[in-house]
Amino acid sequence: MTTTMHTYDQFPFDIVDGHDAYLIDDQGKEYLDLTAGIGVCNFGYSNQQIKQAVAKQVEKVWHITNLYQNQLAEEVAEDLCPASYQAFFCNSGTEANEAAIKLAHKATGKHELVAFDYGFHGRTTGSLSVTGYPHIQEGFAPLMPAVKMVPFNDPAALDAITEDTAAVILEVIQGEGGINVGQADWLHQVQDKCHATGTLLIIDEVQSGMGRTGHRFAFEHYGLEPDMITVAKGLANGLPVGALLAKESVAKHFQPGDHGTTFGGNKVVMSAAKEVLKQLNPEFLATVQAKGDWLFDQLEQKLSPLEVVTGISGAGLMVGIHLADSLPVGQVIQALQKEGILTLSARGNTLRLLPPLIVDQDDLAQAIDQISQIIQQLSNADQAAAVK
C-alpha cells in the first residue's frame, strides 16, 4: 500500500528518464510520448538551453519573497504578455483561474459568472465551480454561487450573459471536454455580448496555449481580444507555473494585499519560462503549424475511413480521435502502451494526442500507423467476440 493519496488511477510503470519526445520507464522500456505530461513538456526532455538556464539559476538563488523586486519575472512578463496586459504569476492553471475570478469580481463589482458545459478550469473551489462536469463536483458542495452553466457552441447560451454578469470564462478549444473546437462566429458573438453588457471575457489557455495549436495562444486563430488570459502547463516545460494576464484597465483593480502567492514568480521557474518563451518564436510556431496541418491530413487519410472512428478534431498538435462506444478508449491506450506509445483520453470516448511540440514528423508517422493498426485489431476482436 502506498502512502500517497489515491487521487489518480495510475498505470503500473514508473517513468525515470527521457530524451527528445521519448520517455523511459524503470524497466528500461522506451515510449514515444504523445502526452507531453498532459500538454506540459512542449520542448521535450532534453532541451539543453532550458536545462542550462535552470542549472545556472540554481547556482544563484532558488527563491525570494515577492516583497522584493524580481527582474527575471518582469522579463518573463514582458515577453509573455500581449501589449497593454500585465501578469500575475502563480503555480498552476487552477490558481490562475482563481485569480481571474477574484479579479473579475473586484473589477466589476458583480458576482455572476457564465461558464460552459464540459469546460475544465481546475479543481480548487472557485475553478471547480466554473468547471462543467457535475460528476467531479459531487461531494464538494456548496460551491461558489451565481454560476450559470450553459452549452458550448450554442447561440442560446448568449442569453445567459447579462448586465449582471461579471465574467464569462471559456476555452476556445475544450481539452478535457473532448477537444471540442469553438466555432469562430459563435466565439465572436460571445465576445460582442460581453462588450455590450460590460462583462469581462476570460479565455483559459492552460492547455491550448504556449504554442500547442501553432499560435502562442489558441484565441489568436479567431482574432479575439480577451480581457484576461490564463496560462500554465507549457510555460516552463515541466516546472510548476501559472499566470493570469489581464488588460491594464482590469489589472489595476488588484492592489497590494488583494491577492498573492508564496511561490509565484519563483526564480528557478522563471529561468525556465524565459528560455521557453525565447524558443517559442514565430519560426518555431510555423513548424508547429506545419506539423499540425500534416498530422490532420494523415489522420483524415488513415483513421477517418475506419468505421469505429467517428471524427477527428483539434488544431495544431492538440488532437482528438473520437471513437465509437463499442471500442472503449482505455483499451486503445493500454494496447498502445504495450507497443511503446503513450496517449491520453478525453470526454466522449476520445483518444487525445498532445505530443511535445518538438516531436519528429517521422515518429508521428509511425505512431499514426500504429494507432490505426491497434484500433483495427481491437475493433475486429470485438466484432469477432460479438459474433460468438
Side-chain angles (χ1 to χ4, degrees), residues 86 98-113 163-168 197-202 227-228 244-255 258-259:
Q86 294 180 338
E98 290 280 349
I101 291 168
K102 284 183 66 175
L103 183 54
H105 289 158
K106 183 88 183 319
T108 66
K110 298 183 286 188
H111 300 285
E112 187 176 281
L113 300 170
E163 292 182 355
D164 294 324
T165 309
V168 170
T197 58
T199 298
L200 299 177
L201 177 60
I202 304 167
D227 298 290
M228 288 185 264
L244 164 62
L245 315 181
K247 287 183 176 179
E248 291 175 356
S249 58
V250 178
K252 69 181 182 181
H253 292 277
F254 262 174
Q255 295 296 310
D258 284 343
H259 197 57

Side-chain angles (χ1 to χ4, degrees), residues 327-369:
L327 179 57
V329 67
Q331 289 185 17
V332 178
I333 290 172
Q334 293 187 51
L336 286 168
Q337 286 175 359
K338 292 177 181 178
E339 299 301 323
I341 298 174
L342 302 180
T343 55
L344 297 160
S345 64
R347 189 192 68 86
N349 206 38
T350 301
L351 183 68
R352 180 170 37 151
L353 310 182
L354 299 172
L357 304 183
I358 50 87
V359 66
D360 187 82
Q361 188 166 300
D362 289 340
D363 286 339
L364 281 176
Q366 294 178 28
I368 294 166
D369 288 341

Side-chain angles (χ1 to χ4, degrees), residues 1-224:
M1 181 177 179
T2 66
T3 53
T4 55
M5 292 188 186
H6 187 196
T7 54
Y8 288 87
D9 287 325
Q10 297 179 323
F11 295 110
F13 52 91
D14 185 3
I15 298 298
V16 296
D17 203 353
H19 65 88
D20 304 306
Y22 284 85
L23 291 171
I24 302 165
D25 71 15
D26 53 349
Q27 302 302 309
K29 183 174 181 177
E30 189 171 74
Y31 304 83
L32 175 63
D33 178 31
L34 302 185
T35 76
I38 314 184
V40 169
C41 297
N42 288 350
F43 286 91
Y45 304 101
S46 51
N47 187 289
Q48 292 304 310
Q49 290 83 3
I50 298 173
K51 286 185 176 183
Q52 289 167 8
V54 171
K56 184 178 179 180
Q57 185 59 49
V58 166
E59 290 298 320
K60 296 179 180 179
V61 60
W62 297 1
H63 173 75
I64 61 169
T65 168
N66 284 309
L67 296 174
Y68 309 133
Q69 292 182 356
N70 186 339
Q71 183 59 34
L72 184 53
E74 289 288 344
E75 291 169 2
V76 173
E78 184 176 353
D79 197 355
L80 177 62
C81 287
S84 300
Y85 285 69
Q86 294 180 338
F88 168 80
F89 289 112
C90 50
N91 311 288
S92 66
T94 192
E95 290 177 65
N97 286 324
E98 290 280 349
I101 291 168
K102 284 183 66 175
L103 183 54
H105 289 158
K106 183 88 183 319
T108 66
K110 298 183 286 188
H111 300 285
E112 187 176 281
L113 300 170
V114 171
F116 296 89
D117 293 339
Y118 306 117
F120 188 91
H121 304 292
R123 294 179 182 271
T124 50
T125 299
S127 58
L128 183 61
S129 301
V130 293
T131 289
Y133 287 82
H135 73 280
I136 69 170
Q137 295 177 334
E138 291 176 3
F140 301 106
L143 295 175
M144 193 168 58
V147 176
K148 294 180 180 177
M149 198 66 62
V150 295
F152 189 69
N153 273 336
D154 188 339
L158 299 172
D159 294 336
I161 306 169
T162 72
E163 292 182 355
D164 294 324
T165 309
V168 170
I169 184 167
L170 59 78
E171 303 157 281
V172 298
I173 302 176
Q174 293 183 329
E176 303 293 331
I179 315 297
N180 298 326
V181 178
Q183 299 166 2
D185 289 347
W186 180 78
L187 288 168
H188 276 278
Q189 289 169 6
V190 170
Q191 179 171 270
D192 291 345
K193 189 67 180 293
C194 286
H195 290 166
T197 58
T199 298
L200 299 177
L201 177 60
I202 304 167
I203 294 186
D204 180 334
E205 292 276 1
V206 169
Q207 188 167 140
S208 59
M210 296 297 97
R212 174 57 49 187
T213 67
H215 285 277
R216 180 172 285 197
F217 304 115
F219 71 79
E220 293 177 286
H221 289 277
Y222 301 93
L224 299 170

